[in-house]
């Protein structure tokens, strides 16, 4: 259990919603909501414009596929036909190196190619030219497999081997011939074409245009060795109208969201923010300033501004009345505390007067015991009265210091003097705790004096390990070591009082019988 004066207040929820979206400004929330609401419509329109462009691209790709396939097929037919004629002549010359008829036949087949700049040559197994012109063979020719060599900017060389692997036939096809053969019939759009093998490429037709222009490319195998025909055609350009058709919905989306945010920000959010600033800057005792919110804000905000102005005037009037009442109440409270302090001092003086006039030592000791307790209460009350203006609590260092001085002054004089040693850290406590600590210290010091008048008593106040709001009050003396006299006094006179004070502190009093120490943990409200 804890003392009511030390009870911690229940946590108060601020009511502020959690989450990143909830912490955004209202203008940002409105902009996000409008953006999310309008974005699907902008995307739908943009997708429709994009789909139109995509359909046009699909049509271009279909035309390119037809043209590339036709060009590759025509080129394949021409090259395979010529190489078949060469194969037939090569086989005949292998059987009869002097076969002039086969040579004349293949020359007739190659007549159109020869007119376009092409050439061919057939060599027998001994490497002698038997037909056509002497020309280098294509790289990589092996056996009957067709070998290809592309000479950039010149043309294509094909070589085939005879059945014995020694005789060979080589044909050269110039670039102009290959360009004309691979041209698709009836194809109007501009296009570019290239002939590729696994090592190099031959440009047949160049496609001019901007460097960053959109182009469609299609690769079709020729069907002869690893040759491929690559055809490129310019795609449908993205013109200004197409760009406007695609970007205008997104622009309209951004403009609509921005206009909605701007209107709400000017008419509602900004005036409310100015009004909030004026309310936050209001301080008790000052007048509520009228803010300038312009002519744009909503009429309801103007009415709210006037309502706050009237509220400020009303609060100012009430604060004036409360300030006057507080001044009167403070004066009355200080007067009451002053009178109580004086009355306690009068009571202490009367007790001291009767103690000096007593006839027996027992009566003087009784008066001194009562006086010590009244002094303890007076010390706490006087320090409480001094701390009223600061309101930070009672400093136990000064309270216990003055209380120790009073205890020394009222200690018995026979058999030596009482010795008090203080080791007090500067802790602050509330009034109830200070009263209980003062009475507990007085009881324990008097218990030690009763057992041994010339006692040495040490009073310390140190922080509790691992806690910032608790301190340990420790009072130890050789007179408080476990013994028959201590047990009798605790049982008959001091025990119930000490136990009651520890209950008032809402803690347990610990006694170390070997070193003669009493220890209690108290709540503190601060320290220097």
């Amino acid at each position: 259990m804890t003392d009511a004066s030390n009870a911690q207040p229940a946590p108060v929820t601020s009511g502020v919603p959690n989450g990143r979206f909830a912490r955004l400004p209202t203008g940002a929330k409105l902009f996000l909501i409008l953006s999310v609401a309008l974005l699907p419509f902008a995307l739908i329109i943009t997708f429709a414009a994009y789909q139109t462009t995509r359909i046009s691209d699909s049509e271009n790709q279909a035309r390119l596929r037809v043209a590339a396939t036709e060009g590759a097929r025509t080129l394949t037919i021409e090259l395979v036909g010529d190489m078949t004629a060469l194969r037939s002549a090569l086989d005949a010359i292998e059987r009869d190196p002097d076969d002039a008829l086969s040579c004349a036949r293949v020359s007739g087949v190659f007549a159109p190619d020869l007119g376009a700049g092409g050439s061919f040559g057939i060599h027998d197994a001994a490497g002698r030219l038997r037909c056509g012109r002497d020309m280098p063979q294509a790289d990589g020719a092996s056996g009957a497999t067709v070998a290809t060599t592309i000479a950039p900017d010149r043309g294509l060389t094909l070589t085939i081997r005879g059945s014995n692997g020694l005789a060979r036939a080589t044909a050269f096809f110039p670039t102009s011939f290959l360009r004309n053969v691979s041209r698709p019939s009836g194809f109007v759009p501009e296009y570019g074409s290239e002939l590729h093998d696994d090592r190099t490429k031959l440009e047949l037709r160049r496609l001019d245009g901007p460097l960053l222009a959109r182009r469609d490319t299609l690769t079709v195998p020729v069907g002869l060795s690893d040759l491929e025909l690559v055809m490129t055609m310019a795609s449908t350009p993205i013109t200004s109208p197409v760009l406007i058709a695609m970007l205008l919905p997104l622009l309209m989306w951004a403009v609509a969201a921005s206009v909605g945010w701007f209107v709400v920000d000017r008419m509602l959010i900004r005036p409310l923010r100015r009004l909030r600033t004026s309310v936050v800057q209001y301080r008790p005792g000052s007048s509520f300033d009228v803010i300038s919110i312009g002519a744009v804000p909503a009429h309801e905000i103007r009415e709210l501004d006037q309502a706050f102005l009237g509220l400020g005037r009303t609060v100012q009037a009430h604060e004036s009345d409360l300030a006057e009442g507080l001044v009167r109440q403070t004066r009355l409270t200080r007067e009451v505390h002053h009178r109580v302090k004086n009355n306690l001092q009068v009571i202490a003086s009367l007790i001291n007067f009767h103690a000096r006039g007593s006839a027996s030592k027992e009566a003087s000791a009784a008066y001194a015991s009562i006086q010590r307790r009244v002094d303890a209460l007076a010390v706490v009350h006087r320090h409480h009265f001094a701390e009223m203006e600061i309101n930070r609590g009672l400093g136990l260092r000064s309270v216990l210091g003055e209380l120790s001085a009073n205890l020394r002054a009222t200690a018995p004089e026979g058999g030596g003097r009482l010795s008090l040693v203080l080791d007090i850290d500067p802790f602050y406590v509330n009034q109830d705790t200070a009263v209980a600590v003062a009475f507990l210290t007085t009881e324990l010091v008097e218990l030690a004096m009763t057992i041994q008048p010339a006692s040495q008593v040490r009073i310390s106040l140190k922080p509790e390990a691992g806690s910032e709001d608790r301190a340990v009050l420790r009072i130890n003396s050789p007179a408080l070591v476990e013994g028959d006299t201590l047990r009798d006094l605790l049982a008959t006179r001091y025990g119930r009082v000490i136990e009651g004070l520890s209950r008032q502190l809402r803690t347990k009093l610990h006694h170390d019988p070997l070193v003669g120490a009493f220890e209690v943990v108290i709540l503190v409200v601060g320290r220097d």
Side-chain angles (χ1 to χ4, degrees), residues 464 470-473 505-508 519-523:
E464 184 184 28
R470 294 177 181 271
V472 178
L473 175 65
L505 291 171
R506 298 296 190 270
T507 186
K508 185 177 181 181
E519 190 176 277
V520 65
V521 179
I522 63 174
L523 292 175

Side-chain angles (χ1 to χ4, degrees), residues 439-461:
F439 278 136
L440 181 61
T441 304
T442 301
E443 293 294 331
L444 291 175
V445 172
E446 184 171 328
L447 175 59
M449 287 190 302
T450 304
I451 298 173
Q452 185 179 342
S455 301
Q456 292 185 352
V457 182
R458 178 182 177 86
I459 303 173
S460 65
L461 182 65

Side-chain angles (χ1 to χ4, degrees), residues 284-334:
S286 62
S287 59
F288 187 81
D289 296 331
V290 181
I291 61 174
S292 175
I293 57 178
V296 178
H299 179 68
E300 291 76 8
I301 297 181
R302 296 182 176 276
E303 293 180 347
L304 183 61
D305 181 30
Q306 295 300 320
F308 273 117
L309 180 60
L311 178 61
R313 293 171 180 171
T314 303
V315 171
Q316 186 178 10
H318 283 291
E319 285 178 348
S320 299
D321 296 338
L322 291 175
E324 294 177 0
L326 180 60
V327 170
R328 292 193 298 269
Q329 183 66 29
T330 302
R331 291 175 180 174
L332 179 60
T333 303
R334 292 181 65 86

Side-chain angles (χ1 to χ4, degrees), residues 198-349:
D198 58 350
R199 297 181 299 278
T200 184
K201 64 181 180 180
L202 175 64
E203 185 179 51
L204 303 180
R205 182 184 180 93
R206 180 186 297 275
L207 177 62
D208 297 324
L211 181 62
L212 300 179
R214 297 173 63 245
R215 296 179 177 182
D216 293 327
T217 301
L218 185 65
T219 301
V220 180
V222 174
L224 189 64
S225 186
D226 54 357
L227 291 177
E228 293 178 336
L229 179 65
V230 179
M231 185 172 288
T232 304
M233 184 182 68
S235 301
T236 303
I238 300 179
T239 59
S240 298
V242 175
L243 286 175
I244 293 175
M246 295 180 64
L247 298 179
L248 184 60
L250 297 177
L251 180 62
M252 294 175 61
W253 159 69
V255 170
S258 300
V259 169
W261 168 81
F262 179 79
V263 171
V264 174
D265 181 74
R266 290 289 181 177
M267 295 186 63
L268 296 176
I269 299 175
R270 185 170 297 183
L272 285 175
R273 190 180 295 117
R274 292 180 179 176
L275 185 61
R276 173 187 175 276
T277 301
S278 183
V279 173
V280 170
Q281 293 177 349
Y282 173 77
R283 294 294 179 267
S286 62
S287 59
F288 187 81
D289 296 331
V290 181
I291 61 174
S292 175
I293 57 178
V296 178
H299 179 68
E300 291 76 8
I301 297 181
R302 296 182 176 276
E303 293 180 347
L304 183 61
D305 181 30
Q306 295 300 320
F308 273 117
L309 180 60
L311 178 61
R313 293 171 180 171
T314 303
V315 171
Q316 186 178 10
H318 283 291
E319 285 178 348
S320 299
D321 296 338
L322 291 175
E324 294 177 0
L326 180 60
V327 170
R328 292 193 298 269
Q329 183 66 29
T330 302
R331 291 175 180 174
L332 179 60
T333 303
R334 292 181 65 86
E335 180 66 23
V336 170
H337 279 282
H338 182 67
R339 290 174 181 260
V340 170
K341 179 176 66 70
N342 290 342
N343 291 336
L344 288 174
Q345 290 177 347
V346 170
I347 292 173
S349 298

